[in-house]
Amino acid sequence: MARRPTVAKRPQTALPAEGGSTAERLASLHRSSGTLAHDFNNLLGVILSANERLAKELGEGTDQQKLALLSLEAAERGADLMRRLLAQTHDEPPELKAVDCAEVLQTLRRLARQAIAPDVRLAVNAAVTPLACAGDRTGLEMALLNLCLNAGQATPPGGLISVQACATRLSVAEARKLGLACGGYVAFAVRDSGEGMSADTLARATDPLFTTKATGTGLGLSSVLEFSASEGGALALESCEGRGTTATLYLPLAHLAATAAAA
């Protein structure tokens, strides 16, 4: 059976959802997000301070210190996300910078390995040559982590999740299909050897609040889609039942050398 490709698009109409329409539930989330972000940011300050102290007190280079440093790194990314969320409540535009893709993948490897079941293999392959995209680094790391977590939940024990980034130049037809302008992009591909998705599930995979999991929120792929659009990129999904899924995140290509010279 051939794999079914689809370009993820933001839904134009609200879908009915339990406890109210999707639009109503999203509006409720938006109204409470500012207060929740402020309170959670305060808690992150406590977590950051505690992990900094713990990392200093633990033995240098020990496994315990490495875990404390990883927790500190995750909390720092959480604080960055809270700053982005608070900026959005004040209608501040995102600041786009050149992002070193190799550094992003290194961080992703550390975070994803702790979040994915230990009996699922993870291979994160950096580009051979220096590669940079334009965007928000923390947002990109969280988008890729979201894709890895989704892949991990769909992959059985012994299965494989692979992540790679490469530069690509979209043809006119490819760019039109993705809703992008022609030009250079970095393609981040997250592939899994899991159960794959049916045609119906694939068509609705990025709808806000749509989920096939009993305890899921349905906001994972939706948030990745929103991130890609905000950065001038796109998200494409390809899946086939029994043969796994590939999620490809496209972001505009940047040039590290030009950025460094301008700094």
Side-chain angles (χ1 to χ4, degrees), residues 18-262:
E18 184 178 353
S21 69
T22 299
E24 289 170 345
R25 294 172 68 189
L26 288 175
S28 177
L29 286 171
H30 178 73
R31 285 193 297 271
S32 62
S33 62
T35 300
L36 291 175
H38 181 272
D39 292 343
F40 191 61
N41 195 50
N42 290 338
L43 289 176
L44 279 173
V46 176
I47 296 172
L48 283 166
S49 297
N51 275 283
E52 285 176 355
R53 179 177 175 182
L54 183 62
K56 290 178 181 178
E57 292 181 354
L58 291 171
E60 187 69 28
T62 61
D63 290 341
Q64 292 84 352
Q65 188 192 52
K66 291 177 181 177
L67 285 174
L69 290 173
L70 180 62
S71 297
L72 178 60
E73 183 176 31
E76 288 172 344
R77 295 298 186 273
D80 286 341
L81 288 175
M82 286 300 101
R83 283 191 285 271
R84 290 182 63 214
L85 183 55
L86 289 169
Q88 289 178 5
T89 62
H90 294 88
D91 295 324
E92 297 177 15
E95 183 180 2
L96 303 184
K97 298 180 179 179
V99 178
D100 188 324
C101 298
E103 292 180 357
V104 167
L105 293 182
Q106 287 175 3
T107 299
L108 176 69
R109 182 186 290 109
R110 293 192 294 270
L111 297 179
R113 185 62 277 172
Q114 290 300 314
I116 294 172
D119 53 7
V120 172
R121 294 173 293 153
L122 174 67
V124 181
N125 306 305
V128 177
T129 57
L131 185 62
C133 62
D136 176 83
R137 173 172 173 170
T138 299
L140 173 57
E141 291 170 348
M142 294 304 100
L144 292 175
L145 181 60
N146 251 316
L147 295 178
C148 286
L149 291 178
N150 273 359
Q153 292 168 355
T155 304
L160 172 67
I161 298 171
S162 64
V163 185
Q164 65 179 28
C166 64
T168 184
R169 182 162 293 277
L170 299 177
S171 66
V172 174
E174 291 170 332
R176 184 182 297 115
K177 182 178 179 181
L178 291 165
L180 298 175
C182 295
Y185 292 85
V186 177
F188 297 89
V190 179
R191 298 182 176 88
D192 68 64
S193 59
E195 58 191 28
M197 291 184 276
S198 67
D200 180 63
T201 299
L202 181 62
R204 301 182 62 192
T206 57
D207 288 354
L209 307 180
F210 172 75
T211 179
T212 59
K213 308 178 186 71
T215 58
T217 64
L219 293 174
L221 285 176
S222 176
S223 68
V224 176
L225 177 59
E226 290 294 331
F227 168 76
S228 67
S230 70
E231 310 295 290
L235 174 66
L237 300 175
E238 183 181 0
S239 189
C240 178
E241 288 181 289
R243 296 178 60 183
T245 299
T246 298
T248 306
L249 174 62
Y250 294 88
L251 290 183
L253 184 68
H255 300 284
L256 285 176
T259 303

